[in-house]
């Protein structure tokens, strides 16, 4: 229990009573030091401090995106950076936590009328790109409906009261068609609260939560990958919104971008196999037993978040290796993510490619097929 300025030891009750003043920056320097030291040791008070600081931000005049995109992260760094928090946000949930905070900062900065600005949604189906018009508010509602799949897996309430389960497209269509009026900026609050609840829940859930299955209807992902997928979509649609309202928006940090690229690369073998089953890609050259080496494509992603990935071409369960490389693709990290989001066509995506042209085409189209509404 930390001492006060005069050496008196302050009780937990007294320190908790100071959180409101701390959030308003109304504490003395001595009180601030004592409170922030307490926050490094008391997870409930740290959570309450974050909630109060967010509330203060809503009471004050909105500030520009360049001033306040990472409020929660800065508070965490200040309060908990001296030593690890007892209940920290898991590393695999941090990209989602960050991308929702960045999008919320953008939403705080746009004019009320811009919530109805037209947004062009783009994805890829089969062999062709698909486009659909929505509004800023409708896009946030879409994000909330798909986040609801994660909430359902965690046993949390759905703020939209949609039926549990389903797939992202059917849930979104149900929300859009079931609304008595087009979505408005009022959707921001329940979407943001849902995001806070997801992060808070997984932070307290323990290590085993990372492998909890989240159903997307036709497929499922472990929770740690589902939150990476949600971070990816949040960034993609934040960029869609930023283009619609003519606002600058940066890609994720290099470390988080690498995690998003890694998720997409890990999903490519299964997606390629699904395209083959649907007759959208030629059959595999040969059967490869699980764990055995087979033909491999080398995916080289350059720039921030980049790296090297080796994609098995003949079976999702085959072992990929540089020794069995038959094709090579090189492209920028953001461009690869735009391809996986259906915003760049497979024909336009690769900056460099070599080797088996059929394998290159198959993987580029599989990457585009990761996209959806």
């Amino acid at each position: 229990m930390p001492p006060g300025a005069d050496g008196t030891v302050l009780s937990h009750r007294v320190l908790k009573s100071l959180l409101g003043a701390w959030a308003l920056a109304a504490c003395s320097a001595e009180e601030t030091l004592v409170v922030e030291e307490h926050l490094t040791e008391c997870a409930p008070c740290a959570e309450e401090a974050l909630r109060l600081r967010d509330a203060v931000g809503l009471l004050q005049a909105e500030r520009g995106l360049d001033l306040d995109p990472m409020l929660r992260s800065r508070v965490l760094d200040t309060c908990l950076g001296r030593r690890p928090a007892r209940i920290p946000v898991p590393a695999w949930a941090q990209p989602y936590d960050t991308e929702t905070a960045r999008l919320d900062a953008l939403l705080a900065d746009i004019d009320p009328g811009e919530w109805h600005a037209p947004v062009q949604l783009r994805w890829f189906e089969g062999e062709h790109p698909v486009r659909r018009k929505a509004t800023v508010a409708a896009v946030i509602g879409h994000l909330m409906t798909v986040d609801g799949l994660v909430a359902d897996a965690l046993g949390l309430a759905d703020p939209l009261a949609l039926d549990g389960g389903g797939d992202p497209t059917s849930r979104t269509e149900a929300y859009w068609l079931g609304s008595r009026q087009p979505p408005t900026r009022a959707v921001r609050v329940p979407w943001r609260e849902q995001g806070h609840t997801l992060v808070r829940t997984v932070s307290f859930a323990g290590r085993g939560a990372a492998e909890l299955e989240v159903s997307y209807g036709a497929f499922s992902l472990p929770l740690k990958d589902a939150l990476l997928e949600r971070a990816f979509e949040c960034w993609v649609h934040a960029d869609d919104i930023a283009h619609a309202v003519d606002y600058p928006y940066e890609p994720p940090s290099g470390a988080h971008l690498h995690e998003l690229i890694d998720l997409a690369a890990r999903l490519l073998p299964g997606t390629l196999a699904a395209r083959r089953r649907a007759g959208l890609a030629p059959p595999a050259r040969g059967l490869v037993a699980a764990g055995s080496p087979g033909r491999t494509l080398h995916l080289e992603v350059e720039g921030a978040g980049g790296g090297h990935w080796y994609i098995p071409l003949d079976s999702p369960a085959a072992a990929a290796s540089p020794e069995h490389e038959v094709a090579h693709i090189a492209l920028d990290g953001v461009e690869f993510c735009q391809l996986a989001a259906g915003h760049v066509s497979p024909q336009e995506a690769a900056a460099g490619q070599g080797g088996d042209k059929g394998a290159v085409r198959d993987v580029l189209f599989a990457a585009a097929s990761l996209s959806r509404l």
Side-chain angles (χ1 to χ4, degrees), residues 2-181:
D6 59 357
T8 304
V9 176
L10 301 181
S11 69
H12 178 273
R13 181 179 60 81
V14 172
L15 288 166
K16 186 176 181 180
S17 72
L18 289 173
L19 293 180
W22 174 86
L24 291 166
C27 287
S28 67
E30 293 81 5
E31 289 172 334
T32 298
L33 182 63
V34 172
V35 169
E36 291 182 355
E37 182 177 351
H38 176 65
L39 295 181
T40 66
E41 300 174 339
C42 180
C45 282
E47 183 70 21
E48 176 70 4
L50 291 174
R51 188 185 67 79
L52 290 171
R53 182 60 65 88
D54 283 345
V56 169
L58 294 174
L59 291 173
Q60 295 173 341
E62 302 280 23
R63 292 178 292 175
L65 179 63
D66 58 335
L67 295 176
D68 196 19
M70 294 289 290
L71 174 60
R72 188 175 191 274
S73 294
R74 289 206 305 273
V75 174
L76 280 171
D77 287 343
T78 300
C79 299
L80 309 176
R82 299 176 191 174
R83 54 182 177 271
R86 293 180 181 176
I87 309 294
V89 176
W92 45 268
Q94 289 173 9
Y96 173 79
D97 193 24
T98 298
E99 292 311 309
T100 51
R102 292 206 308 139
L103 173 53
D104 190 52
L106 168 61
L107 298 176
D109 216 43
I110 66 176
D111 294 330
E114 290 179 318
W115 279 86
H116 301 288
V119 179
Q120 188 80 258
L121 298 179
R122 295 170 287 168
W123 66 98
F124 195 84
E125 287 184 1
E127 300 286 299
H128 306 287
V130 178
R131 295 175 181 266
R132 180 166 179 175
K133 287 185 178 180
T135 64
V136 172
V139 171
I140 300 304
H142 163 59
L143 289 174
M144 186 162 58
T145 63
V146 187
D147 282 352
L149 293 172
V150 182
D152 185 59
L154 290 169
L156 301 173
D158 186 344
L160 296 175
L162 295 174
D163 291 336
D167 63 86
T169 299
S170 64
R171 284 175 62 86
T172 298
E173 295 288 1
Y175 166 65
W176 284 346
L177 293 174
S179 301
R180 295 182 180 179
Q181 58 184 9

Side-chain angles (χ1 to χ4, degrees), residues 182-224:
T184 68
R185 61 176 176 165
V187 74
R188 177 188 170 194
V189 172
W191 165 75
R192 193 68 180 109
E193 288 180 348
Q194 183 185 52
H196 281 309
T197 300
L198 289 176
V199 171
R200 183 167 56 251
T201 301
V202 301
S203 297
F204 281 84
R207 295 180 181 179
E211 302 304 323
L212 179 70
E213 288 293 311
V214 177
S215 174
Y216 283 73
F219 65 97
S220 62
L221 292 173
L223 179 60
K224 61 182 180 180

